[in-house]
Amino acid sequence: MRELAGRQDDEGHGRVLERAAEAIEQASGREVIPGGDGELAGELRYALAADVVLGATYTGTLPELHPGERLALVAVCALAAAMPGCVLGDLERELTLLAGELDQAVAAGRAATAAAASRA
């Protein structure tokens, strides 16, 4: 995600993607604490919302993303947002499943980036 942020010509889009990268780290790390309430903090929910694929609202443009990258971003954000809820269920089983899917979504995004680079 940080690579995508660095690729943006519009600084606002880059900041949105950077915030999302930080939110993914938090949501999949310290927010997944046994005994927690299973809720994702408000600012993390916001950072993992549609702005990731729509970009900074004031620009009037969309972030520069290759085909397939937008879908991968949505998947990564949705999976990260779901991780804190695992503390209410079978944490190890559910978190392992979500982490594996998160890895797959990241791999799909990287494959989309590589495919676009090879076409260029």
Side-chain angles (χ1 to χ4, degrees):
M1 181 141 342
R2 288 193 168 91
E3 290 174 26
L4 298 178
R7 193 174 78 205
Q8 302 304 308
D9 287 335
D10 187 291
E11 194 174 292
H13 294 322
R15 279 193 306 272
V16 167
L17 288 164
E18 277 292 333
R19 274 196 310 269
E22 291 169 12
I24 290 165
E25 289 174 349
Q26 291 176 356
S28 61
R30 68 178 184 228
E31 292 294 313
V32 184
I33 300 170
D37 63 5
E39 295 289 324
L40 189 63
E43 75 270 1
L44 296 180
R45 266 195 318 271
Y46 179 77
L48 296 173
D51 285 354
V52 170
V53 294
L54 299 176
T57 55
Y58 60 85
T59 65
T61 64
L62 294 172
E64 296 174 30
L65 298 170
H66 300 302
E69 289 176 336
R70 197 167 268 111
L71 179 59
L73 282 174
V74 169
V76 166
C77 289
L79 289 161
M83 287 181 159
C86 293
V87 301
L88 302 176
D90 183 348
L91 179 64
E92 185 176 341
R93 183 181 59 82
E94 293 172 4
L95 196 54
T96 299
L97 174 75
L98 291 178
E101 293 300 318
L102 183 66
D103 288 343
Q104 291 299 314
V106 168
R110 287 189 176 135
T113 300
S118 70
R119 287 191 298 269

